[in-house]
Amino acid sequence: MAKAKQKITKVIPEETIIRKIFVFRKHKVMLDFDLADLYNIKTKVLNQAVKRNIARFPTDFMFRLTTKEWQSIRSHFVTASDKPVMRSQNETASQKKRNITQTPYTFTEQGVAMLSGVVNSDKAVKMNVAIMRAFVEIRRAVMNHKSIAGKLKSLEERLGEHDAQLNKIYDAIENLLDKKVGEEKWQERRRIGFKQK
């Protein structure tokens, strides 16, 4: 009986979570319906919990997308189509039921962390841990990218310096060769005048 009562929670791959993280207003954010889907609750329930605890969510933790921002993200997945054939694989069940007159809320990394205190369920706690790991992985990837970009820039600068130095060396070698050719021509010239024995 105890085994029957235990809920089997499937592990969601980190890549799946990372694909649900977007950048808006220079923040990495997750959309309310994606979070609700990960927590296995309705978007409406998530947003009601947030509204009951709105003091925990200042604008740098949570904000509503503008219509323009929402349109740009909707182009990634078809949501308002009546044709089921056109629906994207990325579309979630809660997104299909979404009130299309309102734009979604977005939660920054800090906002997602704050959600762990608002949405109290075992699934939500486990998903928050996975989501925090995904944010950390993104930050690590960005830092590696910046580090590699910095090293490449340094290498380009050094190569630029070497190019200038190599050009000077080539010029010096050309001058020496020109001088040597001039001396050889002087030695091999046809001599005029008297020859002494």
Coordinates of all heavy atoms in Angstrom, one line a residue, residues 10-103:
K10 N 8.7 12.0 -12.5 CA 9.7 11.8 -13.6 C 10.8 12.9 -13.5 O 10.5 14.1 -13.2 CB 9.1 11.8 -14.9 CG 8.4 13.0 -15.4 CD 7.9 12.9 -16.8 CE 7.3 14.2 -17.2 NZ 6.9 14.2 -18.6
V11 N 12.0 12.6 -13.8 CA 13.1 13.5 -13.8 C 13.1 14.3 -15.1 O 13.1 13.6 -16.2 CB 14.4 12.8 -13.6 CG1 15.6 13.8 -13.6 CG2 14.4 12.1 -12.3
I12 N 13.0 15.6 -15.1 CA 13.0 16.4 -16.3 C 14.5 16.8 -16.6 O 15.2 17.3 -15.7 CB 12.2 17.6 -16.1 CG1 10.7 17.2 -15.9 CG2 12.3 18.6 -17.3 CD1 9.7 18.3 -15.7
P13 N 14.9 16.5 -17.8 CA 16.3 16.8 -18.1 C 16.6 18.3 -18.1 O 15.7 19.1 -18.3 CB 16.4 16.3 -19.6 CG 15.3 15.5 -19.9 CD 14.2 15.8 -18.9
E14 N 17.8 18.6 -17.7 CA 18.2 20.0 -17.5 C 18.1 20.8 -18.8 O 17.7 21.9 -18.8 CB 19.7 20.0 -17.1 CG 20.2 21.3 -16.5 CD 21.5 21.3 -15.9 OE1 22.5 21.4 -16.7 OE2 21.6 21.0 -14.7
E15 N 18.3 20.1 -20.0 CA 18.2 20.8 -21.3 C 16.8 21.2 -21.5 O 16.5 22.3 -22.1 CB 18.6 19.8 -22.4 CG 20.0 19.4 -22.4 CD 20.3 18.2 -21.4 OE1 19.4 17.4 -21.2 OE2 21.4 18.2 -20.8
T16 N 15.8 20.5 -21.0 CA 14.4 20.8 -21.2 C 14.1 22.1 -20.4 O 13.4 23.0 -20.9 CB 13.5 19.7 -20.7 OG1 13.8 18.5 -21.4 CG2 12.0 20.1 -20.8
I17 N 14.6 22.2 -19.2 CA 14.4 23.4 -18.4 C 15.2 24.6 -19.1 O 14.6 25.7 -19.2 CB 14.9 23.2 -17.0 CG1 14.1 22.1 -16.3 CG2 14.9 24.5 -16.2 CD1 14.6 21.6 -15.0
I18 N 16.4 24.4 -19.5 CA 17.2 25.5 -20.1 C 16.4 26.0 -21.4 O 16.4 27.2 -21.6 CB 18.6 25.0 -20.5 CG1 19.4 24.8 -19.2 CG2 19.3 25.9 -21.5 CD1 20.7 24.1 -19.4
R19 N 15.7 25.2 -22.1 CA 15.0 25.6 -23.3 C 13.8 26.5 -22.9 O 13.3 27.3 -23.7 CB 14.5 24.5 -24.1 CG 15.5 24.0 -25.1 CD 15.0 22.9 -26.1 NE 15.6 21.7 -25.7 CZ 14.9 20.6 -25.3 NH1 13.6 20.6 -25.3 NH2 15.5 19.5 -25.0
K20 N 13.4 26.5 -21.6 CA 12.3 27.3 -21.2 C 12.8 28.6 -20.5 O 12.0 29.4 -20.0 CB 11.5 26.5 -20.1 CG 10.8 25.3 -20.8 CD 10.0 24.5 -19.7 CE 9.4 23.3 -20.3 NZ 8.2 23.5 -21.0
I21 N 14.1 28.9 -20.6 CA 14.6 30.1 -20.1 C 14.9 31.1 -21.2 O 15.5 30.7 -22.2 CB 15.9 29.8 -19.3 CG1 15.6 28.9 -18.1 CG2 16.6 31.2 -18.8 CD1 16.8 28.5 -17.3
F22 N 14.3 32.3 -21.1 CA 14.5 33.3 -22.1 C 15.1 34.5 -21.5 O 15.3 34.7 -20.3 CB 13.1 33.7 -22.7 CG 12.3 32.6 -23.2 CD1 11.4 31.8 -22.5 CD2 12.5 32.2 -24.6 CE1 10.7 30.8 -23.0 CE2 11.8 31.1 -25.1 CZ 10.9 30.4 -24.4
V23 N 15.6 35.4 -22.4 CA 16.2 36.7 -22.0 C 15.2 37.8 -22.4 O 14.9 38.0 -23.5 CB 17.6 36.9 -22.5 CG1 18.1 38.3 -22.1 CG2 18.5 35.8 -22.1
F24 N 14.8 38.6 -21.4 CA 14.0 39.8 -21.6 C 14.5 40.8 -20.6 O 14.7 40.6 -19.5 CB 12.5 39.5 -21.3 CG 11.8 38.8 -22.4 CD1 11.4 37.5 -22.3 CD2 11.5 39.4 -23.6 CE1 10.8 36.8 -23.3 CE2 10.9 38.7 -24.6 CZ 10.5 37.4 -24.5
R25 N 14.6 42.0 -21.1 CA 15.0 43.2 -20.3 C 16.3 42.9 -19.6 O 16.5 43.2 -18.4 CB 13.9 43.6 -19.4 CG 12.6 43.9 -20.1 CD 11.6 44.3 -19.1 NE 10.2 44.3 -19.7 CZ 9.1 44.4 -19.0 NH1 9.1 44.7 -17.7 NH2 8.0 44.4 -19.6
K26 N 17.2 42.2 -20.3 CA 18.5 41.9 -19.8 C 18.5 40.9 -18.6 O 19.4 40.8 -17.8 CB 19.3 43.1 -19.4 CG 19.6 44.1 -20.6 CD 20.4 45.3 -20.2 CE 20.6 46.2 -21.3 NZ 21.3 47.4 -21.0
H27 N 17.4 40.2 -18.4 CA 17.2 39.2 -17.3 C 17.0 37.8 -18.0 O 16.2 37.8 -19.0 CB 16.1 39.5 -16.4 CG 16.3 40.8 -15.6 ND1 17.1 40.8 -14.5 CD2 15.7 42.0 -15.7 CE1 17.0 42.0 -14.0 NE2 16.2 42.8 -14.7
K28 N 17.5 36.8 -17.4 CA 17.1 35.4 -17.8 C 15.8 35.2 -17.0 O 15.8 35.3 -15.8 CB 18.2 34.5 -17.4 CG 19.4 34.6 -18.3 CD 20.5 33.6 -17.9 CE 21.9 34.1 -18.1 NZ 22.2 35.4 -17.5
V29 N 14.8 34.8 -17.7 CA 13.5 34.6 -17.1 C 12.8 33.3 -17.5 O 13.2 32.8 -18.5 CB 12.5 35.8 -17.4 CG1 13.1 37.1 -16.8 CG2 12.3 35.9 -18.8
M30 N 11.8 32.9 -16.7 CA 10.9 31.8 -17.1 C 9.5 32.3 -17.1 O 9.2 33.2 -16.3 CB 11.1 30.6 -16.1 CG 12.5 30.0 -16.2 SD 12.6 28.5 -15.3 CE 11.7 27.4 -16.3
L31 N 8.7 31.8 -18.0 CA 7.3 32.3 -18.1 C 6.4 31.5 -17.1 O 6.7 30.3 -16.8 CB 6.8 32.0 -19.5 CG 7.7 32.7 -20.6 CD1 7.3 32.3 -22.0 CD2 7.5 34.2 -20.5
D32 N 5.4 32.2 -16.7 CA 4.5 31.6 -15.7 C 3.9 30.2 -16.1 O 3.9 29.3 -15.3 CB 3.4 32.6 -15.3 CG 2.5 33.0 -16.4 OD1 2.7 32.6 -17.6 OD2 1.6 33.9 -16.2
F33 N 3.5 30.1 -17.4 CA 2.9 28.9 -17.8 C 3.9 27.7 -17.9 O 3.6 26.6 -17.7 CB 2.1 29.0 -19.1 CG 2.9 29.5 -20.3 CD1 3.7 28.7 -21.0 CD2 2.8 30.9 -20.6 CE1 4.4 29.2 -22.1 CE2 3.5 31.3 -21.7 CZ 4.3 30.5 -22.5
D34 N 5.2 28.0 -18.2 CA 6.2 27.0 -18.2 C 6.5 26.5 -16.8 O 6.7 25.3 -16.6 CB 7.5 27.5 -18.9 CG 7.4 27.5 -20.4 OD1 6.6 26.8 -21.0 OD2 8.1 28.4 -21.0
L35 N 6.6 27.5 -15.9 CA 6.8 27.1 -14.5 C 5.6 26.3 -13.9 O 5.8 25.3 -13.3 CB 7.0 28.4 -13.6 CG 8.3 29.1 -13.8 CD1 8.3 30.5 -13.2 CD2 9.4 28.3 -13.1
A36 N 4.4 26.7 -14.3 CA 3.2 25.9 -13.8 C 3.3 24.5 -14.4 O 3.0 23.5 -13.7 CB 1.9 26.7 -14.3
D37 N 3.7 24.4 -15.6 CA 3.8 23.1 -16.2 C 4.8 22.2 -15.5 O 4.6 21.0 -15.2 CB 4.1 23.2 -17.7 CG 4.1 21.9 -18.5 OD1 3.1 21.1 -18.3 OD2 5.1 21.6 -19.2
L38 N 6.0 22.8 -15.2 CA 7.0 22.1 -14.5 C 6.6 21.7 -13.1 O 6.9 20.6 -12.6 CB 8.3 22.9 -14.4 CG 9.0 23.1 -15.8 CD1 10.1 24.1 -15.6 CD2 9.6 21.8 -16.3
Y39 N 5.8 22.6 -12.4 CA 5.3 22.3 -11.1 C 4.1 21.4 -11.1 O 3.6 21.0 -10.0 CB 5.0 23.6 -10.4 CG 6.1 24.5 -10.1 CD1 5.8 25.9 -9.9 CD2 7.4 24.1 -9.9 CE1 6.9 26.8 -9.6 CE2 8.4 25.0 -9.7 CZ 8.2 26.3 -9.5 OH 9.2 27.2 -9.2
N40 N 3.6 21.1 -12.3 CA 2.4 20.3 -12.4 C 1.2 20.9 -11.8 O 0.4 20.2 -11.1 CB 2.7 18.9 -11.9 CG 1.7 17.9 -12.5 OD1 1.2 18.1 -13.6 ND2 1.5 16.8 -11.8
I41 N 1.0 22.2 -11.9 CA -0.2 22.9 -11.4 C -0.7 23.8 -12.6 O 0.0 24.0 -13.6 CB 0.1 23.8 -10.2 CG1 1.2 24.9 -10.5 CG2 0.5 22.9 -9.0 CD1 1.5 25.8 -9.4
K42 N -1.9 24.4 -12.4 CA -2.4 25.3 -13.4 C -1.8 26.6 -13.3 O -1.4 27.1 -12.2 CB -3.9 25.4 -13.2 CG -4.7 24.1 -13.5 CD -6.2 24.3 -13.4 CE -6.9 23.1 -13.7 NZ -8.3 23.2 -13.5
T43 N -1.6 27.3 -14.4 CA -1.0 28.7 -14.4 C -1.8 29.6 -13.5 O -1.3 30.4 -12.8 CB -1.0 29.2 -15.9 OG1 -0.3 28.3 -16.7 CG2 -0.3 30.5 -15.9
K44 N -3.1 29.5 -13.5 CA -4.0 30.3 -12.7 C -3.7 30.1 -11.2 O -3.6 31.1 -10.4 CB -5.5 30.0 -13.0 CG -6.5 30.8 -12.2 CD -7.9 30.4 -12.7 CE -8.9 31.3 -11.9 NZ -10.3 31.0 -12.3
V45 N -3.4 28.9 -10.8 CA -3.1 28.6 -9.4 C -1.8 29.2 -9.0 O -1.6 29.8 -8.0 CB -3.1 27.0 -9.2 CG1 -2.6 26.7 -7.8 CG2 -4.5 26.5 -9.4
L46 N -0.8 29.1 -9.9 CA 0.5 29.7 -9.7 C 0.4 31.2 -9.5 O 0.9 31.8 -8.6 CB 1.5 29.4 -10.9 CG 2.8 30.1 -10.8 CD1 3.8 29.3 -10.0 CD2 3.4 30.3 -12.2
N47 N -0.3 31.9 -10.5 CA -0.5 33.3 -10.4 C -1.3 33.8 -9.2 O -1.0 34.8 -8.6 CB -1.1 33.8 -11.7 CG -0.1 33.8 -12.9 OD1 1.1 33.7 -12.7 ND2 -0.6 33.7 -14.1
Q48 N -2.3 33.0 -8.8 CA -3.0 33.4 -7.6 C -2.1 33.3 -6.3 O -2.2 34.2 -5.5 CB -4.2 32.4 -7.4 CG -5.4 32.8 -8.4 CD -6.5 31.7 -8.3 OE1 -6.3 30.6 -7.8 NE2 -7.6 32.1 -8.9
A49 N -1.3 32.3 -6.3 CA -0.3 32.2 -5.1 C 0.6 33.3 -5.1 O 0.9 33.9 -4.0 CB 0.4 30.8 -5.2
V50 N 1.1 33.8 -6.3 CA 2.0 34.9 -6.4 C 1.2 36.2 -5.9 O 1.8 37.0 -5.1 CB 2.5 35.1 -7.8 CG1 3.2 36.4 -8.0 CG2 3.5 33.9 -8.1
K51 N 0.0 36.4 -6.4 CA -0.8 37.6 -6.0 C -1.0 37.6 -4.5 O -1.1 38.7 -3.9 CB -2.1 37.6 -6.8 CG -1.8 38.0 -8.3 CD -3.1 38.0 -9.1 CE -2.7 38.3 -10.6 NZ -3.9 38.1 -11.4
R52 N -1.3 36.5 -3.9 CA -1.5 36.5 -2.4 C -0.2 36.9 -1.7 O -0.2 37.3 -0.5 CB -1.9 35.1 -2.0 CG -3.4 34.8 -2.2 CD -3.8 33.5 -1.5 NE -3.0 32.3 -1.9 CZ -3.3 31.5 -2.9 NH1 -4.4 31.7 -3.6 NH2 -2.6 30.4 -3.1
N53 N 1.0 36.7 -2.3 CA 2.3 37.0 -1.7 C 3.0 38.0 -2.5 O 4.2 37.9 -2.7 CB 3.1 35.7 -1.6 CG 2.4 34.7 -0.7 OD1 2.5 34.8 0.5 ND2 1.8 33.7 -1.3
I54 N 2.3 39.0 -3.1 CA 2.9 39.9 -4.0 C 4.1 40.7 -3.5 O 5.0 41.1 -4.2 CB 1.8 40.9 -4.6 CG1 2.3 41.5 -5.9 CG2 1.4 41.9 -3.6 CD1 2.5 40.6 -7.1
A55 N 4.1 40.9 -2.2 CA 5.3 41.6 -1.5 C 6.6 40.9 -1.7 O 7.7 41.5 -1.7 CB 5.0 41.9 -0.1
R56 N 6.5 39.6 -2.0 CA 7.8 38.8 -2.2 C 8.3 39.0 -3.6 O 9.4 38.5 -3.9 CB 7.5 37.3 -1.9 CG 7.1 37.0 -0.5 CD 6.9 35.5 -0.4 NE 6.6 35.2 0.9 CZ 6.9 34.0 1.5 NH1 7.6 33.1 0.8 NH2 6.6 33.7 2.7
F57 N 7.5 39.6 -4.5 CA 7.9 39.7 -5.9 C 8.0 41.1 -6.4 O 7.2 41.6 -7.2 CB 6.9 38.9 -6.7 CG 6.8 37.4 -6.4 CD1 5.9 36.9 -5.4 CD2 7.7 36.5 -7.0 CE1 5.9 35.6 -5.1 CE2 7.7 35.2 -6.6 CZ 6.8 34.7 -5.7
P58 N 9.1 41.8 -6.1 CA 9.3 43.1 -6.7 C 9.6 43.0 -8.2 O 9.8 41.9 -8.7 CB 10.6 43.6 -5.9 CG 11.3 42.4 -5.4 CD 10.2 41.4 -5.2
T59 N 9.7 44.1 -8.8 CA 9.8 44.1 -10.3 C 11.1 43.4 -10.8 O 11.1 43.0 -12.0 CB 9.7 45.5 -10.9 OG1 10.7 46.3 -10.3 CG2 8.3 46.1 -10.7
D60 N 12.1 43.4 -10.0 CA 13.3 42.7 -10.5 C 13.2 41.2 -10.2 O 14.1 40.4 -10.6 CB 14.6 43.2 -9.8 CG 14.6 43.2 -8.3 OD1 13.5 43.3 -7.7 OD2 15.7 43.2 -7.7
F61 N 12.1 40.7 -9.6 CA 11.9 39.3 -9.4 C 10.8 38.8 -10.4 O 10.9 37.6 -10.8 CB 11.4 39.0 -8.0 CG 12.5 39.0 -6.9 CD1 13.7 39.7 -7.1 CD2 12.3 38.2 -5.8 CE1 14.7 39.7 -6.1 CE2 13.3 38.3 -4.8 CZ 14.5 39.0 -5.0
M62 N 9.9 39.6 -10.7 CA 8.8 39.2 -11.6 C 8.2 40.5 -12.3 O 8.1 41.5 -11.7 CB 7.6 38.6 -10.7 CG 6.4 38.2 -11.5 SD 5.0 37.9 -10.4 CE 4.5 39.6 -10.0
F63 N 7.9 40.3 -13.6 CA 7.3 41.4 -14.3 C 6.4 40.8 -15.4 O 6.6 39.6 -15.8 CB 8.3 42.4 -14.9 CG 9.4 41.7 -15.8 CD1 9.2 41.6 -17.1 CD2 10.6 41.3 -15.2 CE1 10.1 41.0 -17.9 CE2 11.6 40.8 -16.0 CZ 11.3 40.6 -17.4
R64 N 5.5 41.5 -15.9 CA 4.6 41.1 -16.9 C 5.2 41.5 -18.3 O 5.7 42.6 -18.4 CB 3.2 41.7 -16.8 CG 2.1 41.0 -17.7 CD 0.8 41.6 -17.6 NE 0.0 41.2 -16.4 CZ -0.7 40.0 -16.3 NH1 -0.7 39.2 -17.4 NH2 -1.3 39.7 -15.2
L65 N 5.2 40.6 -19.2 CA 5.7 40.9 -20.6 C 4.8 42.0 -21.2 O 3.6 42.0 -21.0 CB 5.7 39.7 -21.5 CG 6.8 38.6 -21.1 CD1 6.6 37.5 -22.1 CD2 8.2 39.2 -21.2
T66 N 5.4 42.8 -22.0 CA 4.6 43.8 -22.9 C 4.0 42.9 -24.0 O 4.5 41.8 -24.3 CB 5.5 44.9 -23.5 OG1 6.4 44.3 -24.3 CG2 6.2 45.7 -22.4
T67 N 3.1 43.5 -24.7 CA 2.5 42.8 -25.9 C 3.5 42.5 -26.9 O 3.5 41.4 -27.5 CB 1.3 43.7 -26.4 OG1 0.4 44.0 -25.4 CG2 0.6 43.0 -27.5
K68 N 4.4 43.5 -27.2 CA 5.4 43.3 -28.2 C 6.4 42.1 -27.8 O 6.7 41.3 -28.6 CB 6.2 44.6 -28.4 CG 7.2 44.5 -29.5 CD 7.9 45.9 -29.6 CE 8.9 45.9 -30.8 NZ 9.5 47.1 -31.0
E69 N 6.8 42.1 -26.5 CA 7.7 41.0 -26.0 C 6.9 39.7 -26.2 O 7.5 38.7 -26.6 CB 8.0 41.3 -24.6 CG 9.0 42.4 -24.4 CD 9.1 42.8 -22.9 OE1 8.2 42.6 -22.1 OE2 10.2 43.4 -22.6
W70 N 5.7 39.6 -25.8 CA 4.9 38.4 -25.9 C 4.7 37.9 -27.3 O 4.9 36.7 -27.6 CB 3.5 38.6 -25.2 CG 2.6 37.5 -25.2 CD1 1.2 37.6 -25.6 CD2 2.8 36.1 -24.9 NE1 0.7 36.3 -25.5 CE2 1.6 35.4 -25.1 CE3 3.9 35.4 -24.5 CZ2 1.5 34.1 -24.9 CZ3 3.8 34.0 -24.3 CH2 2.6 33.4 -24.5
Q71 N 4.5 38.9 -28.2 CA 4.4 38.5 -29.6 C 5.7 37.9 -30.1 O 5.7 36.9 -30.9 CB 4.0 39.7 -30.5 CG 2.6 40.2 -30.3 CD 1.6 39.1 -30.6 OE1 1.7 38.3 -31.5 NE2 0.5 39.1 -29.8
S72 N 6.9 38.5 -29.7 CA 8.2 37.9 -30.1 C 8.4 36.5 -29.6 O 8.9 35.7 -30.4 CB 9.3 38.8 -29.7 OG 9.6 38.7 -28.3
I73 N 7.9 36.2 -28.5 CA 8.1 34.9 -27.9 C 7.1 33.9 -28.5 O 7.4 32.7 -28.7 CB 8.1 34.8 -26.4 CG1 8.9 33.6 -25.9 CG2 6.7 34.9 -25.8 CD1 9.2 33.6 -24.5
R74 N 5.9 34.4 -28.8 CA 4.9 33.5 -29.4 C 5.3 33.0 -30.8 O 4.8 32.0 -31.2 CB 3.5 34.2 -29.5 CG 2.9 34.3 -28.1 CD 1.6 35.0 -28.2 NE 0.6 34.1 -28.8 CZ -0.6 34.6 -29.3 NH1 -0.9 35.8 -29.2 NH2 -1.4 33.7 -29.8
S75 N 6.2 33.8 -31.4 CA 6.6 33.3 -32.7 C 7.4 32.0 -32.6 O 7.6 31.3 -33.6 CB 7.4 34.4 -33.4 OG 8.6 34.6 -32.7
H76 N 7.9 31.8 -31.4 CA 8.7 30.5 -31.2 C 7.8 29.3 -31.2 O 8.2 28.2 -31.5 CB 9.5 30.6 -29.9 CG 10.7 31.5 -30.0 ND1 11.8 31.3 -30.8 CD2 10.9 32.7 -29.5 CE1 12.6 32.3 -30.7 NE2 12.1 33.2 -29.9
F77 N 6.6 29.5 -30.8 CA 5.6 28.4 -30.7 C 4.2 28.9 -31.0 O 3.8 30.0 -30.5 CB 5.7 27.6 -29.4 CG 5.9 28.4 -28.2 CD1 5.0 29.3 -27.7 CD2 7.1 28.4 -27.6 CE1 5.2 30.0 -26.5 CE2 7.4 29.1 -26.4 CZ 6.4 29.9 -25.9
V78 N 3.5 28.2 -31.8 CA 2.2 28.7 -32.3 C 1.2 28.4 -31.1 O 1.1 27.2 -30.7 CB 1.8 27.9 -33.5 CG1 0.4 28.4 -34.0 CG2 2.8 28.1 -34.6
T79 N 0.5 29.4 -30.7 CA -0.4 29.2 -29.5 C -1.8 29.5 -29.8 O -2.7 28.9 -29.3 CB 0.0 30.1 -28.4 OG1 0.0 31.4 -28.8 CG2 1.4 29.8 -27.9
A80 N -2.1 30.4 -30.7 CA -3.5 30.8 -30.9 C -4.2 30.2 -32.1 O -5.3 30.5 -32.5 CB -3.5 32.3 -31.1
S81 N -3.5 29.2 -32.7 CA -4.0 28.6 -33.9 C -5.2 27.6 -33.6 O -5.2 26.9 -32.6 CB -2.9 27.8 -34.7 OG -3.5 27.1 -35.7
D82 N -6.2 27.6 -34.4 CA -7.3 26.6 -34.3 C -7.0 25.3 -34.9 O -7.6 24.3 -34.7 CB -8.6 27.2 -34.9 CG -9.1 28.4 -34.2 OD1 -9.1 28.4 -33.0 OD2 -9.5 29.4 -34.9
K83 N -6.0 25.3 -35.7 CA -5.6 24.0 -36.4 C -4.6 23.3 -35.5 O -3.5 23.7 -35.3 CB -4.9 24.4 -37.7 CG -5.8 25.2 -38.7 CD -5.0 25.6 -39.9 CE -5.9 26.5 -40.7 NZ -5.1 27.1 -41.8
P84 N -5.0 22.1 -35.0 CA -4.1 21.3 -34.2 C -2.8 20.9 -34.9 O -1.8 20.7 -34.2 CB -4.9 20.1 -33.8 CG -6.2 20.1 -34.6 CD -6.3 21.4 -35.3
V85 N -2.9 20.8 -36.2 CA -1.7 20.4 -36.9 C -0.6 21.5 -36.8 O 0.6 21.1 -36.8 CB -2.0 20.2 -38.4 CG1 -0.8 19.8 -39.2 CG2 -3.2 19.2 -38.6
M86 N -1.0 22.7 -36.6 CA 0.0 23.8 -36.6 C 0.6 24.0 -35.2 O 1.6 24.7 -35.1 CB -0.7 25.1 -37.0 CG -1.2 25.2 -38.4 SD 0.2 25.2 -39.6 CE 0.8 26.9 -39.2
R87 N 0.1 23.3 -34.2 CA 0.7 23.5 -32.8 C 2.1 23.0 -32.7 O 2.4 22.0 -33.2 CB -0.3 22.9 -31.8 CG -1.6 23.5 -31.8 CD -2.3 23.3 -30.5 NE -3.6 23.9 -30.5 CZ -3.9 25.1 -30.2 NH1 -3.0 25.9 -29.9 NH2 -5.1 25.5 -30.2
S88 N 2.9 23.8 -32.0 CA 4.3 23.4 -31.8 C 4.4 22.3 -30.7 O 3.6 22.2 -29.8 CB 5.0 24.7 -31.4 OG 6.3 24.3 -31.0
Q89 N 5.5 21.6 -30.8 CA 5.8 20.6 -29.7 C 6.1 21.3 -28.4 O 6.0 20.7 -27.3 CB 7.0 19.7 -30.1 CG 6.6 18.9 -31.3 CD 7.9 18.1 -31.8 OE1 9.0 18.5 -31.5 NE2 7.6 17.0 -32.4
N90 N 6.6 22.5 -28.5 CA 7.0 23.3 -27.2 C 5.8 23.8 -26.5 O 5.9 24.2 -25.3 CB 7.9 24.5 -27.6 CG 9.2 24.0 -28.1 OD1 9.6 22.9 -27.9 ND2 9.8 24.9 -28.9
E91 N 4.6 23.7 -27.0 CA 3.4 24.3 -26.4 C 3.0 23.4 -25.3 O 2.9 22.2 -25.4 CB 2.3 24.4 -27.5 CG 1.1 25.1 -27.0 CD 0.1 25.2 -28.1 OE1 0.1 24.4 -29.0 OE2 -0.8 26.0 -27.9
T92 N 2.6 24.0 -24.2 CA 2.2 23.3 -23.0 C 0.7 23.3 -22.9 O 0.1 24.2 -23.4 CB 2.8 23.9 -21.7 OG1 2.3 25.2 -21.6 CG2 4.3 23.9 -21.7
A93 N 0.2 22.4 -22.1 CA -1.3 22.3 -21.9 C -1.8 23.6 -21.3 O -2.9 24.1 -21.7 CB -1.6 21.1 -21.1
S94 N -1.1 24.1 -20.3 CA -1.6 25.3 -19.6 C -1.5 26.5 -20.6 O -2.3 27.4 -20.4 CB -0.7 25.6 -18.4 OG 0.6 25.8 -18.7
Q95 N -0.6 26.5 -21.5 CA -0.6 27.6 -22.5 C -1.7 27.6 -23.4 O -2.2 28.6 -23.8 CB 0.8 27.4 -23.2 CG 1.1 28.6 -24.1 CD 2.4 28.3 -24.9 OE1 3.1 27.4 -24.5 NE2 2.7 29.1 -25.8
K96 N -2.2 26.4 -23.8 CA -3.4 26.3 -24.7 C -4.6 26.9 -24.1 O -5.4 27.5 -24.8 CB -3.7 24.8 -25.0 CG -2.7 24.1 -25.8 CD -3.0 22.6 -26.0 CE -1.8 21.9 -26.6 NZ -2.0 20.5 -26.6
K97 N -4.7 26.8 -22.7 CA -5.9 27.3 -22.0 C -5.7 28.8 -21.6 O -6.6 29.4 -21.0 CB -6.2 26.5 -20.8 CG -6.5 25.0 -21.1 CD -6.6 24.2 -19.8 CE -6.7 22.8 -20.2 NZ -6.6 21.9 -19.0
R98 N -4.6 29.4 -21.9 CA -4.2 30.7 -21.4 C -5.2 31.8 -22.0 O -5.6 31.7 -23.1 CB -2.8 31.0 -21.8 CG -2.5 32.5 -21.8 CD -1.0 32.7 -22.0 NE -0.7 33.8 -21.0 CZ -0.3 33.6 -19.8 NH1 -0.1 32.4 -19.3 NH2 -0.2 34.6 -18.9
N99 N -5.5 32.7 -21.2 CA -6.3 33.9 -21.7 C -5.4 34.7 -22.6 O -4.4 35.4 -22.1 CB -6.7 34.7 -20.4 CG -7.5 35.9 -20.8 OD1 -7.7 36.3 -22.0 ND2 -8.1 36.6 -19.8
I100 N -5.6 34.7 -23.9 CA -4.7 35.3 -24.8 C -4.8 36.9 -24.8 O -4.0 37.5 -25.4 CB -5.0 34.8 -26.2 CG1 -6.4 35.1 -26.7 CG2 -4.6 33.4 -26.4 CD1 -6.6 34.9 -28.2
T101 N -5.7 37.4 -24.0 CA -5.8 38.9 -23.9 C -4.8 39.4 -22.9 O -4.5 40.6 -22.8 CB -7.2 39.4 -23.5 OG1 -7.5 38.8 -22.2 CG2 -8.2 39.0 -24.5
Q102 N -4.2 38.5 -22.0 CA -3.2 39.0 -21.0 C -1.9 38.3 -21.3 O -1.8 37.2 -21.7 CB -3.7 38.5 -19.6 CG -4.9 39.3 -19.1 CD -5.2 38.9 -17.7 OE1 -4.7 37.9 -17.2 NE2 -5.8 39.8 -17.0
T103 N -0.9 39.1 -21.2 CA 0.5 38.6 -21.4 C 0.9 37.9 -20.1 O 0.5 38.2 -19.0 CB 1.5 39.8 -21.7 OG1 1.5 40.7 -20.6 CG2 1.1 40.5 -22.9

